[in-house]
Amino acid sequence: MADDDVPVTRPLVRPRRLRRTPGLRNLVAETSLEARQLVLPLFVREGIDEPVAISSMPGVVQHSRDTLLKAVAEAADLGLGGVMLFGIPEAKDPTGSGAIDPGGILNLAITDVVGEVGDALTVMSDLCLDEFTDHGHCGVLTPDGRVDNDATLELYAEMARAQAHAGVDAVGPSGMMDGQVRVVREALDAASHAEVAVIAYSAKYASAFFGPFREAVDSSLVGDRKTYQQDPRNGREGVREALLDVEEGADVVMVKPALGYLDVVAAVRAAVDVPVAAYNVSGEYAMVEAAAAQGWIDREAAILESLTSIRRAGADVVLTYWAAEAARLLRR
Ligand code: PBG
């Protein structure tokens, strides 16, 4: 304890000096958050004429083909970096055939969207079977119900060709099958689509924070994805997955979810020399929205702080359901 007679030592170093005014704080800010770094995930559902609300993701909807075009036009106007498209078919089956069908909802939507925005916005598509299978898994099943890695790879190759043919700029293999990036890259190249980029969901965890997404895509999944998505206890393994994907030809690697995995984002950023993306997932969105709806949190500040934190951890690109709104907030 300080003796009453001893004078308090005045600090020699004063970090607060640089925090005194907004101008000083802006001058020395280490991290930027810009619209061009944000990617908006969008859902398009077959067979609807009006958008359908997703109750666990207030403000996010399943789009019809028409309203999807309005959303992408707005995304382009706002200067977003891109959109990530997810399709919800009317009918699902064991092999997810709607994913490969050139007339499947996602492939049609890709062509619509590219026709609407051209090169103004990077158009990406989720490359995974879970929205299309009746069992809800990311791949096809063996007779005894396990997810069959190599049989699934063959379908991913076909899906990559279908999406590239529809005109997509980048495909996002997200099923966590071993070897998926190599198979997708080879399929694209063999089909004369060497220009299509691969944004790989590399370190993707078996996360409870994907919960609301399952409602968003009308998923029929029973159980979990723990035999293919990563164990949340493993950080080094996330780096290993990212390095493997770079070796297999990934142009961008992704970590998902984002906020609970900022250590993985930072470690991956340090380990690779390709751009790193992070996906601020449905459950992370829902938590802030739910708290804000109760008046328990300052919604706009929490959105910008969340996205800035993901950037600070090392993500070059952030996928977020708040992309359009954040772009608007950043313009103020
Ligand atoms: C798989 C996929 C999922 C998400 C993105 N791509 C679901 C899953 O792996 O279970 C989750 C996104 C989110 O929660 O926001 N197609």
Side-chain angles (χ1 to χ4, degrees), residues 20 30 37 54 63 74 85 91 94-95 108 111 152 169 182 225 231 233 238 253 267 274 285 293 296 332:
R20 187 173 57 86
E30 296 173 31
Q37 298 156 340
I54 301 163
H63 282 287
E74 188 195 18
L85 303 178
T95 59
L108 292 176
T111 306
T152 299
D169 294 312
R182 182 183 307 267
R225 304 195 197 289
D231 188 320
R233 291 172 290 191
V253 293
V274 297
Y285 174 90
W296 292 344
R332 279 194 199 153

PDB file of all heavy atoms in Angstrom, residues 20 30 37 54 63 74 85 91 94-95 108 111 152 169 182 225 231 233 238 253 267 274 285 293 296 332:
ATOM      1  N   ARG A  20      -7.254  10.997 -27.074  1.00  0.00           N
ATOM      2  CA  ARG A  20      -7.938  12.204 -26.602  1.00  0.00           C
ATOM      3  C   ARG A  20      -9.051  12.672 -27.528  1.00  0.00           C
ATOM      4  O   ARG A  20     -10.137  13.004 -27.072  1.00  0.00           O
ATOM      5  CB  ARG A  20      -6.906  13.319 -26.394  1.00  0.00           C
ATOM      6  CG  ARG A  20      -7.467  14.579 -25.739  1.00  0.00           C
ATOM      7  CD  ARG A  20      -6.383  15.578 -25.388  1.00  0.00           C
ATOM      8  NE  ARG A  20      -5.575  15.986 -26.525  1.00  0.00           N
ATOM      9  CZ  ARG A  20      -5.884  16.986 -27.362  1.00  0.00           C
ATOM     10  NH1 ARG A  20      -6.986  17.685 -27.189  1.00  0.00           N
ATOM     11  NH2 ARG A  20      -5.097  17.279 -28.372  1.00  0.00           N
ATOM     12  N   GLU A  30      -5.455   0.813 -35.830  1.00  0.00           N
ATOM     13  CA  GLU A  30      -4.683  -0.255 -36.484  1.00  0.00           C
ATOM     14  C   GLU A  30      -5.505  -1.028 -37.505  1.00  0.00           C
ATOM     15  O   GLU A  30      -4.965  -1.668 -38.403  1.00  0.00           O
ATOM     16  CB  GLU A  30      -4.186  -1.253 -35.427  1.00  0.00           C
ATOM     17  CG  GLU A  30      -3.219  -0.660 -34.427  1.00  0.00           C
ATOM     18  CD  GLU A  30      -2.906  -1.646 -33.317  1.00  0.00           C
ATOM     19  OE1 GLU A  30      -2.917  -2.867 -33.579  1.00  0.00           O
ATOM     20  OE2 GLU A  30      -2.663  -1.202 -32.186  1.00  0.00           O
ATOM     21  N   GLN A  37     -14.619  -5.331 -47.892  1.00  0.00           N
ATOM     22  CA  GLN A  37     -14.115  -6.524 -47.185  1.00  0.00           C
ATOM     23  C   GLN A  37     -15.251  -7.436 -46.728  1.00  0.00           C
ATOM     24  O   GLN A  37     -15.005  -8.499 -46.162  1.00  0.00           O
ATOM     25  CB  GLN A  37     -13.312  -6.076 -45.951  1.00  0.00           C
ATOM     26  CG  GLN A  37     -12.099  -5.237 -46.307  1.00  0.00           C
ATOM     27  CD  GLN A  37     -11.643  -4.320 -45.191  1.00  0.00           C
ATOM     28  OE1 GLN A  37     -12.403  -4.009 -44.268  1.00  0.00           O
ATOM     29  NE2 GLN A  37     -10.394  -3.887 -45.272  1.00  0.00           N
ATOM     30  N   ILE A  54     -36.990 -15.711 -41.601  1.00  0.00           N
ATOM     31  CA  ILE A  54     -36.328 -16.785 -40.846  1.00  0.00           C
ATOM     32  C   ILE A  54     -36.399 -16.351 -39.382  1.00  0.00           C
ATOM     33  O   ILE A  54     -35.740 -15.391 -38.983  1.00  0.00           O
ATOM     34  CB  ILE A  54     -34.859 -16.935 -41.311  1.00  0.00           C
ATOM     35  CG1 ILE A  54     -34.803 -17.255 -42.812  1.00  0.00           C
ATOM     36  CG2 ILE A  54     -34.140 -18.006 -40.493  1.00  0.00           C
ATOM     37  CD1 ILE A  54     -33.432 -17.028 -43.441  1.00  0.00           C
ATOM     38  N   HIS A  63     -35.025 -15.645 -49.940  1.00  0.00           N
ATOM     39  CA  HIS A  63     -35.478 -14.842 -51.074  1.00  0.00           C
ATOM     40  C   HIS A  63     -36.156 -15.685 -52.135  1.00  0.00           C
ATOM     41  O   HIS A  63     -35.824 -16.856 -52.332  1.00  0.00           O
ATOM     42  CB  HIS A  63     -34.278 -14.141 -51.726  1.00  0.00           C
ATOM     43  CG  HIS A  63     -33.817 -12.929 -50.979  1.00  0.00           C
ATOM     44  ND1 HIS A  63     -34.526 -11.754 -50.982  1.00  0.00           N
ATOM     45  CD2 HIS A  63     -32.733 -12.716 -50.197  1.00  0.00           C
ATOM     46  CE1 HIS A  63     -33.886 -10.863 -50.239  1.00  0.00           C
ATOM     47  NE2 HIS A  63     -32.798 -11.424 -49.732  1.00  0.00           N
ATOM     48  N   GLU A  74     -28.593  -4.097 -54.467  1.00  0.00           N
ATOM     49  CA  GLU A  74     -28.308  -3.231 -53.324  1.00  0.00           C
ATOM     50  C   GLU A  74     -26.893  -3.481 -52.798  1.00  0.00           C
ATOM     51  O   GLU A  74     -26.156  -2.547 -52.473  1.00  0.00           O
ATOM     52  CB  GLU A  74     -29.348  -3.493 -52.224  1.00  0.00           C
ATOM     53  CG  GLU A  74     -29.253  -2.503 -51.090  1.00  0.00           C
ATOM     54  CD  GLU A  74     -30.001  -2.955 -49.836  1.00  0.00           C
ATOM     55  OE1 GLU A  74     -30.318  -4.162 -49.703  1.00  0.00           O
ATOM     56  OE2 GLU A  74     -30.241  -2.090 -48.989  1.00  0.00           O
ATOM     57  N   LEU A  85     -24.040 -17.284 -52.123  1.00  0.00           N
ATOM     58  CA  LEU A  85     -25.404 -17.771 -52.367  1.00  0.00           C
ATOM     59  C   LEU A  85     -25.620 -19.181 -51.834  1.00  0.00           C
ATOM     60  O   LEU A  85     -24.767 -20.065 -51.994  1.00  0.00           O
ATOM     61  CB  LEU A  85     -25.690 -17.766 -53.873  1.00  0.00           C
ATOM     62  CG  LEU A  85     -25.524 -16.424 -54.596  1.00  0.00           C
ATOM     63  CD1 LEU A  85     -25.794 -16.597 -56.094  1.00  0.00           C
ATOM     64  CD2 LEU A  85     -26.460 -15.366 -54.000  1.00  0.00           C
ATOM     65  N   ALA A  91     -37.582 -29.940 -53.507  1.00  0.00           N
ATOM     66  CA  ALA A  91     -37.509 -31.370 -53.195  1.00  0.00           C
ATOM     67  C   ALA A  91     -36.069 -31.749 -52.870  1.00  0.00           C
ATOM     68  O   ALA A  91     -35.133 -31.315 -53.537  1.00  0.00           O
ATOM     69  CB  ALA A  91     -37.998 -32.176 -54.391  1.00  0.00           C
ATOM     70  N   PRO A  94     -31.716 -38.334 -51.469  1.00  0.00           N
ATOM     71  CA  PRO A  94     -30.533 -38.848 -50.752  1.00  0.00           C
ATOM     72  C   PRO A  94     -29.191 -38.376 -51.330  1.00  0.00           C
ATOM     73  O   PRO A  94     -28.207 -38.271 -50.606  1.00  0.00           O
ATOM     74  CB  PRO A  94     -30.672 -40.372 -50.894  1.00  0.00           C
ATOM     75  CG  PRO A  94     -32.112 -40.617 -51.171  1.00  0.00           C
ATOM     76  CD  PRO A  94     -32.615 -39.418 -51.910  1.00  0.00           C
ATOM     77  N   THR A  95     -29.156 -38.086 -52.640  1.00  0.00           N
ATOM     78  CA  THR A  95     -27.878 -37.674 -53.229  1.00  0.00           C
ATOM     79  C   THR A  95     -27.809 -36.174 -53.483  1.00  0.00           C
ATOM     80  O   THR A  95     -26.828 -35.678 -54.029  1.00  0.00           O
ATOM     81  CB  THR A  95     -27.626 -38.412 -54.567  1.00  0.00           C
ATOM     82  OG1 THR A  95     -28.709 -38.103 -55.465  1.00  0.00           O
ATOM     83  CG2 THR A  95     -27.526 -39.909 -54.356  1.00  0.00           C
ATOM     84  N   LEU A 108     -29.615 -21.807 -61.100  1.00  0.00           N
ATOM     85  CA  LEU A 108     -30.411 -20.769 -61.772  1.00  0.00           C
ATOM     86  C   LEU A 108     -30.137 -19.402 -61.144  1.00  0.00           C
ATOM     87  O   LEU A 108     -29.977 -18.398 -61.839  1.00  0.00           O
ATOM     88  CB  LEU A 108     -31.905 -21.089 -61.659  1.00  0.00           C
ATOM     89  CG  LEU A 108     -32.402 -22.320 -62.431  1.00  0.00           C
ATOM     90  CD1 LEU A 108     -33.884 -22.554 -62.135  1.00  0.00           C
ATOM     91  CD2 LEU A 108     -32.183 -22.150 -63.937  1.00  0.00           C
ATOM     92  N   THR A 111     -26.878 -17.722 -62.247  1.00  0.00           N
ATOM     93  CA  THR A 111     -26.976 -17.070 -63.563  1.00  0.00           C
ATOM     94  C   THR A 111     -27.767 -15.763 -63.464  1.00  0.00           C
ATOM     95  O   THR A 111     -27.364 -14.736 -64.024  1.00  0.00           O
ATOM     96  CB  THR A 111     -27.627 -18.017 -64.589  1.00  0.00           C
ATOM     97  OG1 THR A 111     -26.890 -19.245 -64.578  1.00  0.00           O
ATOM     98  CG2 THR A 111     -27.605 -17.433 -65.987  1.00  0.00           C
ATOM     99  N   THR A 152     -18.717 -38.694 -52.142  1.00  0.00           N
ATOM    100  CA  THR A 152     -19.159 -37.298 -52.084  1.00  0.00           C
ATOM    101  C   THR A 152     -18.293 -36.407 -52.974  1.00  0.00           C
ATOM    102  O   THR A 152     -18.788 -35.495 -53.639  1.00  0.00           O
ATOM    103  CB  THR A 152     -19.133 -36.799 -50.624  1.00  0.00           C
ATOM    104  OG1 THR A 152     -20.027 -37.601 -49.855  1.00  0.00           O
ATOM    105  CG2 THR A 152     -19.532 -35.347 -50.524  1.00  0.00           C
ATOM    106  N   ASP A 169     -18.287 -16.617 -59.873  1.00  0.00           N
ATOM    107  CA  ASP A 169     -16.895 -16.140 -59.810  1.00  0.00           C
ATOM    108  C   ASP A 169     -16.044 -17.031 -58.903  1.00  0.00           C
ATOM    109  O   ASP A 169     -14.854 -17.217 -59.160  1.00  0.00           O
ATOM    110  CB  ASP A 169     -16.849 -14.714 -59.231  1.00  0.00           C
ATOM    111  CG  ASP A 169     -17.502 -13.696 -60.142  1.00  0.00           C
ATOM    112  OD1 ASP A 169     -17.201 -13.707 -61.352  1.00  0.00           O
ATOM    113  OD2 ASP A 169     -18.320 -12.895 -59.644  1.00  0.00           O
ATOM    114  N   ARG A 182      -8.855 -30.089 -53.882  1.00  0.00           N
ATOM    115  CA  ARG A 182      -8.145 -30.603 -55.069  1.00  0.00           C
ATOM    116  C   ARG A 182      -9.136 -31.083 -56.144  1.00  0.00           C
ATOM    117  O   ARG A 182      -9.002 -30.746 -57.323  1.00  0.00           O
ATOM    118  CB  ARG A 182      -7.208 -31.756 -54.688  1.00  0.00           C
ATOM    119  CG  ARG A 182      -6.412 -32.301 -55.862  1.00  0.00           C
ATOM    120  CD  ARG A 182      -5.555 -33.497 -55.459  1.00  0.00           C
ATOM    121  NE  ARG A 182      -4.726 -33.171 -54.303  1.00  0.00           N
ATOM    122  CZ  ARG A 182      -3.478 -32.709 -54.365  1.00  0.00           C
ATOM    123  NH1 ARG A 182      -2.903 -32.548 -55.532  1.00  0.00           N
ATOM    124  NH2 ARG A 182      -2.818 -32.429 -53.276  1.00  0.00           N
ATOM    125  N   ARG A 225     -22.549 -33.121 -37.197  1.00  0.00           N
ATOM    126  CA  ARG A 225     -21.588 -33.289 -38.279  1.00  0.00           C
ATOM    127  C   ARG A 225     -20.185 -33.581 -37.745  1.00  0.00           C
ATOM    128  O   ARG A 225     -19.182 -33.240 -38.354  1.00  0.00           O
ATOM    129  CB  ARG A 225     -21.535 -32.014 -39.124  1.00  0.00           C
ATOM    130  CG  ARG A 225     -22.863 -31.557 -39.692  1.00  0.00           C
ATOM    131  CD  ARG A 225     -22.635 -30.530 -40.786  1.00  0.00           C
ATOM    132  NE  ARG A 225     -23.793 -29.743 -41.139  1.00  0.00           N
ATOM    133  CZ  ARG A 225     -24.861 -30.190 -41.800  1.00  0.00           C
ATOM    134  NH1 ARG A 225     -24.925 -31.451 -42.164  1.00  0.00           N
ATOM    135  NH2 ARG A 225     -25.850 -29.370 -42.089  1.00  0.00           N
ATOM    136  N   ASP A 231     -13.421 -30.590 -34.383  1.00  0.00           N
ATOM    137  CA  ASP A 231     -13.678 -30.541 -32.951  1.00  0.00           C
ATOM    138  C   ASP A 231     -13.283 -29.148 -32.443  1.00  0.00           C
ATOM    139  O   ASP A 231     -12.151 -28.707 -32.675  1.00  0.00           O
ATOM    140  CB  ASP A 231     -12.817 -31.633 -32.293  1.00  0.00           C
ATOM    141  CG  ASP A 231     -13.131 -31.808 -30.818  1.00  0.00           C
ATOM    142  OD1 ASP A 231     -13.343 -30.801 -30.121  1.00  0.00           O
ATOM    143  OD2 ASP A 231     -13.117 -32.973 -30.369  1.00  0.00           O
ATOM    144  N   ARG A 233     -12.196 -28.186 -29.859  1.00  0.00           N
ATOM    145  CA  ARG A 233     -11.020 -28.165 -28.992  1.00  0.00           C
ATOM    146  C   ARG A 233      -9.717 -28.022 -29.773  1.00  0.00           C
ATOM    147  O   ARG A 233      -8.647 -27.850 -29.167  1.00  0.00           O
ATOM    148  CB  ARG A 233     -10.974 -29.463 -28.166  1.00  0.00           C
ATOM    149  CG  ARG A 233     -12.088 -29.529 -27.134  1.00  0.00           C
ATOM    150  CD  ARG A 233     -12.164 -30.860 -26.454  1.00  0.00           C
ATOM    151  NE  ARG A 233     -12.637 -31.919 -27.352  1.00  0.00           N
ATOM    152  CZ  ARG A 233     -12.994 -33.137 -26.959  1.00  0.00           C
ATOM    153  NH1 ARG A 233     -12.916 -33.463 -25.680  1.00  0.00           N
ATOM    154  NH2 ARG A 233     -13.418 -34.020 -27.832  1.00  0.00           N
ATOM    155  N   GLY A 238      -6.848 -26.654 -37.143  1.00  0.00           N
ATOM    156  CA  GLY A 238      -7.422 -25.672 -38.070  1.00  0.00           C
ATOM    157  C   GLY A 238      -6.360 -25.128 -39.008  1.00  0.00           C
ATOM    158  O   GLY A 238      -6.583 -24.932 -40.209  1.00  0.00           O
ATOM    159  N   VAL A 253      -8.659 -19.050 -47.987  1.00  0.00           N
ATOM    160  CA  VAL A 253      -9.043 -20.036 -46.969  1.00  0.00           C
ATOM    161  C   VAL A 253      -9.947 -19.349 -45.937  1.00  0.00           C
ATOM    162  O   VAL A 253      -9.819 -18.147 -45.699  1.00  0.00           O
ATOM    163  CB  VAL A 253      -7.822 -20.692 -46.272  1.00  0.00           C
ATOM    164  CG1 VAL A 253      -7.045 -21.543 -47.260  1.00  0.00           C
ATOM    165  CG2 VAL A 253      -6.925 -19.649 -45.613  1.00  0.00           C
ATOM    166  N   ALA A 267      -3.996 -17.530 -36.158  1.00  0.00           N
ATOM    167  CA  ALA A 267      -2.975 -18.537 -36.449  1.00  0.00           C
ATOM    168  C   ALA A 267      -2.952 -18.869 -37.944  1.00  0.00           C
ATOM    169  O   ALA A 267      -1.872 -19.032 -38.531  1.00  0.00           O
ATOM    170  CB  ALA A 267      -3.231 -19.798 -35.624  1.00  0.00           C
ATOM    171  N   VAL A 274      -2.192 -16.660 -48.615  1.00  0.00           N
ATOM    172  CA  VAL A 274      -3.377 -16.327 -49.413  1.00  0.00           C
ATOM    173  C   VAL A 274      -4.325 -15.515 -48.527  1.00  0.00           C
ATOM    174  O   VAL A 274      -4.157 -15.495 -47.307  1.00  0.00           O
ATOM    175  CB  VAL A 274      -4.096 -17.611 -49.917  1.00  0.00           C
ATOM    176  CG1 VAL A 274      -3.200 -18.406 -50.846  1.00  0.00           C
ATOM    177  CG2 VAL A 274      -4.590 -18.464 -48.747  1.00  0.00           C
ATOM    178  N   TYR A 285     -24.862 -14.008 -35.178  1.00  0.00           N
ATOM    179  CA  TYR A 285     -25.811 -12.969 -35.585  1.00  0.00           C
ATOM    180  C   TYR A 285     -27.013 -12.977 -34.638  1.00  0.00           C
ATOM    181  O   TYR A 285     -27.404 -11.936 -34.104  1.00  0.00           O
ATOM    182  CB  TYR A 285     -26.247 -13.254 -37.026  1.00  0.00           C
ATOM    183  CG  TYR A 285     -27.332 -12.361 -37.570  1.00  0.00           C
ATOM    184  CD1 TYR A 285     -27.015 -11.169 -38.223  1.00  0.00           C
ATOM    185  CD2 TYR A 285     -28.678 -12.714 -37.459  1.00  0.00           C
ATOM    186  CE1 TYR A 285     -28.016 -10.351 -38.741  1.00  0.00           C
ATOM    187  CE2 TYR A 285     -29.682 -11.900 -37.966  1.00  0.00           C
ATOM    188  CZ  TYR A 285     -29.347 -10.725 -38.608  1.00  0.00           C
ATOM    189  OH  TYR A 285     -30.337  -9.910 -39.108  1.00  0.00           O
ATOM    190  N   ALA A 293     -32.810  -6.872 -29.238  1.00  0.00           N
ATOM    191  CA  ALA A 293     -34.273  -6.791 -29.215  1.00  0.00           C
ATOM    192  C   ALA A 293     -34.792  -6.631 -27.781  1.00  0.00           C
ATOM    193  O   ALA A 293     -35.851  -6.055 -27.546  1.00  0.00           O
ATOM    194  CB  ALA A 293     -34.874  -8.034 -29.864  1.00  0.00           C
ATOM    195  N   TRP A 296     -30.792  -5.053 -24.347  1.00  0.00           N
ATOM    196  CA  TRP A 296     -29.671  -5.398 -23.474  1.00  0.00           C
ATOM    197  C   TRP A 296     -28.324  -5.017 -24.043  1.00  0.00           C
ATOM    198  O   TRP A 296     -27.297  -5.199 -23.391  1.00  0.00           O
ATOM    199  CB  TRP A 296     -29.678  -6.920 -23.210  1.00  0.00           C
ATOM    200  CG  TRP A 296     -30.833  -7.389 -22.397  1.00  0.00           C
ATOM    201  CD1 TRP A 296     -31.676  -6.633 -21.638  1.00  0.00           C
ATOM    202  CD2 TRP A 296     -31.280  -8.745 -22.266  1.00  0.00           C
ATOM    203  NE1 TRP A 296     -32.617  -7.422 -21.038  1.00  0.00           N
ATOM    204  CE2 TRP A 296     -32.398  -8.725 -21.398  1.00  0.00           C
ATOM    205  CE3 TRP A 296     -30.841  -9.967 -22.790  1.00  0.00           C
ATOM    206  CZ2 TRP A 296     -33.083  -9.893 -21.041  1.00  0.00           C
ATOM    207  CZ3 TRP A 296     -31.532 -11.115 -22.434  1.00  0.00           C
ATOM    208  CH2 TRP A 296     -32.641 -11.077 -21.570  1.00  0.00           C
ATOM    209  N   ARG A 332     -21.784   6.593 -42.610  1.00  0.00           N
ATOM    210  CA  ARG A 332     -22.229   7.754 -41.831  1.00  0.00           C
ATOM    211  C   ARG A 332     -21.074   8.652 -41.452  1.00  0.00           C
ATOM    212  O   ARG A 332     -20.001   8.170 -41.149  1.00  0.00           O
ATOM    213  CB  ARG A 332     -22.886   7.273 -40.533  1.00  0.00           C
ATOM    214  CG  ARG A 332     -24.308   6.848 -40.753  1.00  0.00           C
ATOM    215  CD  ARG A 332     -24.957   6.731 -39.404  1.00  0.00           C
ATOM    216  NE  ARG A 332     -26.168   5.904 -39.487  1.00  0.00           N
ATOM    217  CZ  ARG A 332     -26.635   5.214 -38.448  1.00  0.00           C
ATOM    218  NH1 ARG A 332     -26.000   5.214 -37.300  1.00  0.00           N
ATOM    219  NH2 ARG A 332     -27.731   4.517 -38.570  1.00  0.00           N
TER     220      ARG A 332
END
